[in-house]
Amino acid sequence: MFGTYLQGEIGNGGIISAFPNFDQHQPVVPEPSPDGRRKYRTIWISDIHLGTKGCNAEMLIDFLDNVDSETMYLVGDIIDGWRLKKKFYWPDTHNDIVWRILKRAKRGTRIVYIPGNHDEMFRQFTGLHFGGVEIRRAAFHETADGRRLMVIHGDEFDAVMLAHRWLAFVGDALYTLTMGLNRWVNMVRRRLGLPYWSLSKMAKHKVKNAVEFISRYEEIVARAASQRGVDGVVCGHIHTAEFRSFDGIEYWNDGDWVEGCNALVEHADGRMEILHWPEEIARREREAAEAAEAVAAQKLPVAA
């Protein structure tokens, strides 16, 4: 689906030309058995930005290999058409991600794709199904405990996107530069045995204007949800995973897979939770190390 369209739409140079038949795709990172995965009722992920070096593909693959759900919402900016139009970049791990998502649809998971501003070329296919994936401009989700949530990407409420589209492209270029620096920082941290750290996330929380923009954006989106008579909204776009309540209206942002590496999930009882996957990986590695130490301690000879 994605490969066939992108080859004609974006790349005279031939983007992802060999991907249309995912049944024959041999993933670089093999998918483990579905047994043992965490089970959720619903998963929301967005802002993956496939086609960019900033995409944390390995971490997202790890996430997809460890969780499952009845429904998955892809809440926009899954593929970065802006970046692909400028320069071709599509490693095998990005194919692996698309393959895993389409395989979920084949296994019976409901996949709803809501294109964002970076993958707006797919909005023309709203209402259609491709490979088991439903393409929607927006969606409405009912939780297990009866709450009704509007699901949108969120660029519709970004004042910069609406009023000054050229400025959005400038901001995207600066953001790409920051992500390049972030990759180098984390390469050094990995060699030092340190966990993943987001430079951009830290900067957002330190810079006053960024904090004010995010706060204002959250309020506007929540107000729009209130006007539509729903109990809350799930969105992405600003790469900041968050939960807030505005006069009883729930605002959920599912984050991104460029810097924060977050997902929003719904448990079987309707309870919602934001997962911070770098923390999940660090916890898993810590538990594995503790278990190995315990086994090693049991094998030590007992002193006479």
Side-chain angles (χ1 to χ4, degrees), residues 8-242:
E9 175 67 14
I10 298 176
N12 292 329
I15 292 178
I16 327 173
S17 59
F19 191 73
N21 191 348
F22 77 93
D23 285 323
Q24 272 68 56
H25 175 65
Q26 295 299 319
V28 174
V29 183
E31 184 185 37
S33 168
D35 297 335
R37 291 179 178 176
R38 292 194 220 169
K39 307 293 183 181
Y40 296 106
R41 185 171 185 265
T42 314
I43 294 173
W44 291 264
I45 58 174
S46 74
D47 298 273
I48 299 173
H49 291 274
L50 294 172
T52 71
K53 293 182 179 180
C55 171
N56 260 301
E58 291 81 5
M59 202 169 289
L60 178 55
I61 287 172
D62 185 85
F63 170 78
L64 294 172
D65 286 349
N66 283 277
V67 301
D68 220 333
S69 63
E70 299 172 14
T71 303
M72 173 178 279
Y73 289 95
L74 307 174
V75 194
D77 286 1
I78 305 305
I79 294 175
D80 197 320
W82 291 9
R83 190 60 44 194
L84 286 173
K85 284 180 180 179
K86 296 177 181 178
K87 185 177 181 181
F88 169 71
Y89 179 78
W90 194 273
D92 290 336
T93 52
H94 291 201
N95 267 354
D96 284 6
I97 289 169
V98 178
W99 176 77
R100 278 165 165 78
I101 291 172
L102 294 178
K103 190 172 182 181
R104 282 171 184 255
K106 190 176 182 181
R107 287 200 303 250
T109 300
R110 184 190 177 207
I111 306 289
V112 181
Y113 176 28
I114 300 168
N117 51 301
H118 282 259
D119 49 9
E120 61 190 353
M121 60 276 191
F122 291 111
R123 286 176 171 171
Q124 62 183 299
F125 299 118
T126 294
L128 301 180
H129 291 63
F130 292 97
V133 177
E134 306 172 27
I135 301 181
R136 298 284 182 266
R137 190 66 179 84
F140 292 90
H141 175 80
E142 186 168 331
T143 64
D145 55 3
R147 287 168 296 145
R148 194 162 182 257
L149 304 176
M150 179 173 68
V151 185
I152 55 174
H153 177 62
D155 62 294
E156 304 93 330
F157 303 99
D158 185 337
V160 173
M161 282 296 302
L162 293 174
H164 304 288
R165 186 173 175 83
W166 66 271
L167 189 57
F169 283 99
V170 173
D172 176 65
L174 293 174
Y175 183 77
T176 301
L177 182 64
T178 303
M179 288 301 95
L181 180 58
N182 190 69
R183 286 196 304 277
W184 282 104
V185 169
N186 278 287
M187 187 183 301
V188 174
R189 288 177 64 86
R190 280 195 301 272
R191 290 178 179 176
L192 295 175
L194 298 173
Y196 176 83
W197 177 75
S198 173
L199 171 64
S200 178
K201 185 177 180 181
M202 181 276 294
K204 283 180 182 178
H205 284 87
K206 294 293 184 181
V207 180
K208 181 181 178 182
N209 287 343
V211 173
E212 290 179 350
F213 168 79
I214 291 170
S215 181
R216 179 63 174 160
Y217 172 85
E218 293 169 346
E219 183 180 349
I220 290 172
V221 174
R223 186 184 306 136
S226 177
Q227 292 171 351
R228 286 159 177 78
V230 296
D231 300 300
V233 59
V234 177
C235 64
H237 184 55
I238 59 172
H239 293 209
T240 304
E242 186 65 87

